[in-house]
Amino acid sequence: MKKTSLKDIAQKAGVSTALVSYVLNGKEKETRVGEVIAKKVREIAKELNYQPNHLAKSLRSGKTHTIGLIIADISNPFFANIARVVEDEAKRNGYTVIIGSCDENADKSWDLLNVLINRQVDGFIIVSCEGSENQIQYLKERNLPFVLLDRHFPDIQTDFVATNNYKASYDAGIHLIKSGYERIGLIAYKSEMYHMVERIRGYKYALSDNNIEFESNWLKEVMFENMEQDVKTAIDELLASEHKVEALIFATYGLAINGLKYINELRLKVPSDLAIVSFGQAEVFDLYYCPITYLRQPLELLGKTSVEYLLKKLKNPDEGMKQILMEAKLIARDSSMAKSVWLAE
Amino acid sequence: MKKTSLKDIAQKAGVSTALVSYVLNGKEKETRVGEVIAKKVREIAKELNYQPNHLAKSLRSGKTHTIGLIIADISNPFFANIARVVEDEAKRNGYTVIIGSCDENADKSWDLLNVLINRQVDGFIIVSCEGSENQIQYLKERNLPFVLLDRHFPDIQTDFVATNNYKASYDAGIHLIKSGYERIGLIAYKSEMYHMVERIRGYKYALSDNNIEFESNWLKEVMFENMEQDVKTAIDELLASEHKVEALIFATYGLAINGLKYINELRLKVPSDLAIVSFGQAEVFDLYYCPITYLRQPLELLGKTSVEYLLKKLKNPDEGMKQILMEAKLIARDSSMAKSVWLAE
DNA sequence: TAAAAATGCTTAATCGATTAATGAACAACC
DNA sequence: GGTTGTTCATTAATCGATTAAGCATTTTTA
């Protein structure tokens, strides 16, 4: 049995499809449809359980009520959760989301973008990956609406909703220093992405603002593609006796996971052998034998705001540019316990 | 600048849109298009960077090349990963996936289903939640193609791809018994879902096959909605002196997370105070101070196979029913270490 | 009372692609 | 020369909904 269409209703009511369309779109007033017949049409529509055909509507209107969400790495629970928030918020507004993960790969991101453009999504929310600046430029040139989420490019003027990574990282450093640690390392990705650059900058400033001279071998930048091995090497080096660090900041969730695994292997005790603060958030941090201090980003708010701004742009293409930085919150746990506390034990 | 359409090409080539359509769909032979003009059309199409309009195609053909994926709980990393696999596999076949999580809520699942039907997805892959049998029946009645993934209903004849939960659970029990544990508890959900019933059944049979008499207070069935508190109570009861268990199986990832948190709180040592085996898989299990033994389900294969079968059904609606059970693999780690080993330490 | 305005509904084009049916031009055959 | 066949291309309907324009009526206005 086929779906009921406007035509079916029109036939049954003995009127034209135009009239049915007017009634069901609440345009009876403007188009002067008779009350009696309007009521009849509505009844028949209900009776036949009429559901408008999205495709036909979209074809006509050019609007699909669909948002394309491109995520740099969906296996990261932070992103997975943000995807969920975006999906929920979009649904609340009558939009459907098509999600794609590019796995930090610009080529894959480009493919995804094309699939989504082809599907005629109305707009994009994008967590960019390294080397995808050209894609953002492309969207700008083609005048396709989008909002960057969590990551942005300072050299490209775009809307974005992101975390203040400088501040977050600075806070992490300050927190460790206040807890009595001085030799503090940072494991980050080797990347030119702005969020990473900012995390490194914040860390350095936290040190220098507290008269701790930054030592270049406290900073380890590892390759995403070779993370597991690189993190091990980095930790080995950070713990080599000459410049042994007593605390360590992980610039991402993935780095923390790999780092903690290795720290376990080495049978190092957190925080007495090595204090830890990490970006990202996940159940692991709670469950670790010594719960991990982490920077909680305003996940819900980031996701919701990005949807909100995108939808605003869709409604009004001339909407002004929005560039929002939100603050992360440091959640202090035992992994960065004040040095004095465990020294006393 | 608007997208180029068939019409634009037709105009530029001085032919009808029909001819252009034939050429670009590779039907030149059947429809006897002249070679010269065919070449010309192809060149113009390339020059104008023609991309067919999905909406128009879909409207005409009734096929959207889209799959609806309904997941019971996307915050569970097992499901998140399976969603990824499904998405990748679908993309490889030219299909786009629309994902929705119903958060184990049948009403939400129903809403999702309707959104997706409305979007005219070609078919569904569904990880069902409790109380959604009627939805499956509905799909059957309306003759909408679908494949159940990971969970299925024994009373409804459908295609499905799932894990042999009985066997997995049985294996978990056997493994613990072989490791020297006898008083073994199970924390599961209170649920009539078949996968849960099977997990309980497997556990019981493992005991009875080894002449261990099952004690009813070894089995704790908790409410999904009140998991955190219920798990604590369950563990408290399982450890109450009269019927203290020495090993514990968690029937799901979520239960394990909550359980392990509480076990940490209680400062119990795994495995000497309590040995652990869990369903699910996630980085947490590796990272726990005592790595957790778990049942690895064939995630990739489950996802891929479900897509494969669904696509087969889409191509040929009369395709026979497929009901596949795959085996989980027990990954032994320290949390279920042989009793003799830690007794000796 | 004739022109203007309001009322209630229909026609037909449109979005972009597909495809059955048809047609025109020319060659081949008896 | 008329019939049949082949080749190459066009016409027009269709998918389902939207909407500007148009067409009868009836009512109002001058």
Side-chain angles (χ1 to χ4, degrees):
Chain A
M1 195 191 57
K2 257 195 25 248
K3 261 185 71 175
T4 66
S5 69
L6 273 197
K7 216 177 183 176
D8 300 326
I9 301 178
Q11 226 143 45
K12 189 147 188 186
V15 298
S16 70
T17 62
L19 199 151
V20 178
S21 171
Y22 290 140
V23 172
L24 297 183
N25 286 299
K27 305 208 170 156
E28 327 163 32
K29 287 285 165 324
E30 305 102 286
T31 58
R32 303 163 316 207
V33 178
E35 276 188 36
V36 184
I37 211 128
K39 187 153 173 257
K40 188 171 172 192
V41 165
R42 262 193 294 273
E43 274 166 3
I44 295 180
K46 194 160 195 178
E47 181 191 334
L48 298 183
N49 185 32
Y50 171 71
Q51 303 285 124
N53 183 322
H54 248 287
L55 295 170
K57 263 187 137 99
S58 298
L59 179 57
R60 189 79 222 284
S61 67
K63 301 276 157 248
T64 55
H65 276 242
T66 306
I67 294 175
L69 174 62
I70 299 182
I71 293 274
D73 178 14
I74 197 79
S75 69
N76 179 327
F78 172 69
F79 291 134
N81 277 305
I82 225 170
R84 240 182 119 184
V85 173
V86 167
E87 201 194 314
D88 283 354
E89 184 67 9
K91 181 133 49 79
R92 283 203 326 106
N93 288 278
Y95 277 76
T96 299
V97 177
I98 300 182
I99 305 175
S101 173
C102 71
D103 305 335
E104 302 283 7
N105 176 326
D107 288 339
K108 214 169 160 187
S109 170
W110 186 242
D111 286 348
L112 269 172
L113 197 64
N114 279 314
V115 168
L116 294 174
I117 290 177
N118 217 246
R119 291 261 163 182
Q120 287 162 276
V121 299
D122 292 340
F124 296 85
I125 294 179
I126 303 180
V127 180
S128 300
C129 67
E130 182 130 41
S132 64
E133 291 91 333
N134 57 340
Q135 298 167 32
I136 304 305
Q137 287 290 8
Y138 179 74
L139 289 176
K140 277 189 80 172
E141 279 160 24
R142 291 206 35 188
N143 222 12
L144 296 170
F146 68 95
V147 172
L148 298 190
L149 177 56
D150 189 61
R151 300 176 179 181
H152 66 106
F153 302 102
D155 297 339
I156 312 181
Q157 279 297 311
T158 64
D159 295 67
F160 65 77
V161 180
T163 308
N164 186 340
N165 283 295
Y166 169 79
K167 179 66 168 29
S169 195
Y170 185 86
D171 286 351
I174 296 294
H175 170 74
L176 283 169
I177 293 168
K178 283 212 172 128
S179 300
Y181 303 91
E182 292 201 337
R183 306 182 64 83
I184 301 169
L186 171 67
I187 299 188
Y189 284 131
K190 175 130 209 69
S191 165
E192 291 177 2
M193 293 289 289
Y194 190 63
H195 70 286
M196 200 46 73
V197 171
E198 284 287 275
R199 287 178 190 186
I200 293 172
R201 193 168 69 88
Y203 153 79
K204 285 184 178 168
Y205 271 80
L207 295 182
S208 66
D209 281 1
N210 287 273
N211 303 312
I212 299 175
E213 196 175 350
F214 166 67
E215 296 186 19
S216 65
N217 39 31
W218 287 352
L219 170 62
K220 298 294 175 189
E221 295 176 276
V222 310
M223 305 298 291
F224 180 77
E225 300 74 22
N226 196 32
M227 176 161 56
E228 203 172 329
Q229 188 48 54
D230 280 8
V231 166
K232 287 186 181 180
T233 313
I235 291 179
D236 283 341
E237 289 175 10
L238 287 168
L239 295 176
S241 53
E242 324 122 58
H243 45 66
K244 189 166 182 165
V245 301
E246 33 178 13
L248 184 51
I249 302 174
F250 289 109
T252 74
Y253 166 80
L255 292 168
I257 294 296
N258 281 281
L260 290 173
K261 272 186 200 169
Y262 190 53
I263 287 170
N264 279 353
E265 265 181 51
L266 295 176
R267 305 203 166 276
L268 294 173
K269 275 291 157 216
V270 176
S272 52
D273 291 332
L274 195 58
I276 303 281
V277 174
S278 180
F279 275 79
Q281 60 210 84
E283 263 138 358
V284 196
F285 292 164
D286 279 336
L287 210 48
Y288 198 65
Y289 70 88
C290 172
I292 303 292
T293 298
Y294 63 94
L295 293 152
R296 175 157 68 205
Q297 297 183 62
L299 189 148
E300 287 261 338
L301 202 56
L302 283 167
K304 279 193 181 173
T305 310
S306 65
V307 173
E308 185 192 322
Y309 288 170
L310 181 60
L311 296 189
K312 262 190 195 154
K313 285 189 84 172
L314 295 183
K315 285 204 186 76
N316 171 19
D318 298 326
E319 186 79 19
M321 196 171 280
K322 295 263 181 21
Q323 305 192 322
I324 307 288
L325 279 188
M326 295 178 175
E327 300 301 321
K329 188 168 179 225
L330 188 133
I331 308 294
R333 317 292 291 277
D334 287 355
S335 75
S336 59
M337 197 188 290
K339 213 166 156 180
S340 52
V341 174
W342 55 260
L343 276 176
E345 275 182 4
Chain B
M1 195 192 54
K2 258 197 26 247
K3 262 184 72 175
T4 65
S5 69
L6 272 197
K7 215 178 184 176
D8 300 326
I9 301 178
Q11 226 143 45
K12 188 147 188 184
V15 298
S16 69
T17 62
L19 197 150
V20 177
S21 172
Y22 290 140
V23 172
L24 297 182
N25 287 298
K27 306 209 169 152
E28 328 162 32
K29 287 285 166 323
E30 303 102 287
T31 58
R32 300 161 318 209
V33 177
E35 276 187 37
V36 185
I37 210 133
K39 189 154 170 254
K40 188 171 170 191
V41 165
R42 263 192 295 271
E43 274 166 3
I44 295 180
K46 195 161 195 176
E47 181 192 334
L48 299 182
N49 186 31
Y50 171 70
Q51 303 284 124
N53 184 320
H54 248 287
L55 295 170
K57 264 185 134 100
S58 297
L59 178 58
R60 186 83 223 284
S61 66
K63 301 275 156 249
T64 54
H65 276 242
T66 306
I67 294 174
L69 174 62
I70 298 182
I71 294 274
D73 177 14
I74 197 80
S75 69
N76 180 327
F78 172 68
F79 290 134
N81 277 305
I82 225 170
R84 238 182 121 186
V85 173
V86 167
E87 201 194 315
D88 283 353
E89 185 67 8
K91 181 133 49 78
R92 284 205 325 105
N93 288 277
Y95 277 76
T96 300
V97 177
I98 299 182
I99 305 174
S101 173
C102 72
D103 305 334
E104 301 283 8
N105 175 327
D107 288 338
K108 213 169 161 187
S109 169
W110 185 244
D111 286 347
L112 270 172
L113 196 65
N114 279 316
V115 168
L116 294 174
I117 290 177
N118 217 245
R119 291 260 161 183
Q120 286 161 276
V121 299
D122 292 340
F124 297 86
I125 294 178
I126 303 180
V127 180
S128 301
C129 67
E130 183 129 40
S132 65
E133 292 92 332
N134 57 339
Q135 298 167 31
I136 304 305
Q137 288 290 8
Y138 179 74
L139 290 175
K140 277 188 79 171
E141 277 160 26
R142 292 209 30 191
N143 221 14
L144 296 169
F146 68 95
V147 172
L148 298 190
L149 178 55
D150 189 61
R151 301 176 179 181
H152 66 106
F153 301 102
D155 298 339
I156 312 180
Q157 278 298 309
T158 64
D159 295 67
F160 65 78
V161 181
T163 308
N164 186 339
N165 284 294
Y166 168 79
K167 179 66 167 30
S169 195
Y170 185 86
D171 287 350
I174 296 293
H175 169 74
L176 283 169
I177 294 167
K178 283 212 172 129
S179 300
Y181 304 91
E182 292 200 338
R183 306 182 64 83
I184 301 170
L186 172 67
I187 299 189
Y189 285 131
K190 176 128 208 70
S191 164
E192 290 178 2
M193 293 289 290
Y194 190 61
H195 71 284
M196 200 47 73
V197 171
E198 284 288 274
R199 287 178 190 185
I200 294 172
R201 193 167 69 89
Y203 153 78
K204 286 183 177 168
Y205 271 80
L207 294 181
S208 67
D209 281 1
N210 286 274
N211 303 312
I212 299 175
E213 197 175 347
F214 165 68
E215 296 186 20
S216 64
N217 39 29
W218 287 352
L219 170 62
K220 299 294 175 188
E221 294 176 277
V222 310
M223 305 298 290
F224 181 76
E225 300 75 22
N226 195 32
M227 176 161 56
E228 203 172 328
Q229 187 47 55
D230 279 9
V231 166
K232 287 186 180 179
T233 312
I235 291 179
D236 282 341
E237 289 175 11
L238 286 169
L239 295 176
S241 54
E242 323 123 57
H243 43 66
K244 188 167 183 166
V245 302
E246 34 177 11
L248 183 51
I249 301 175
F250 289 109
T252 75
Y253 166 80
L255 292 168
I257 294 296
N258 281 281
L260 290 173
K261 273 186 200 168
Y262 190 54
I263 287 170
N264 279 352
E265 265 180 51
L266 294 176
R267 306 204 166 276
L268 293 173
K269 275 292 156 213
V270 176
S272 52
D273 291 332
L274 194 59
I276 303 282
V277 174
S278 180
F279 275 80
Q281 60 210 85
E283 263 138 358
V284 197
F285 292 164
D286 280 336
L287 210 48
Y288 197 64
Y289 70 88
C290 172
I292 303 291
T293 299
Y294 64 93
L295 293 152
R296 175 158 66 207
Q297 298 184 61
L299 189 148
E300 287 261 337
L301 202 55
L302 283 167
K304 279 192 182 175
T305 310
S306 65
V307 173
E308 184 192 323
Y309 288 170
L310 180 60
L311 296 189
K312 262 191 196 153
K313 284 188 86 171
L314 295 183
K315 284 203 188 77
N316 172 19
D318 299 326
E319 186 79 20
M321 196 170 281
K322 296 262 179 23
Q323 305 192 322
I324 308 288
L325 278 188
M326 295 178 177
E327 300 301 322
K329 191 170 176 221
L330 187 132
I331 308 294
R333 316 291 291 279
D334 287 356
S335 75
S336 60
M337 198 188 289
K339 213 166 157 179
S340 52
V341 174
W342 54 262
L343 277 176
E345 276 181 4

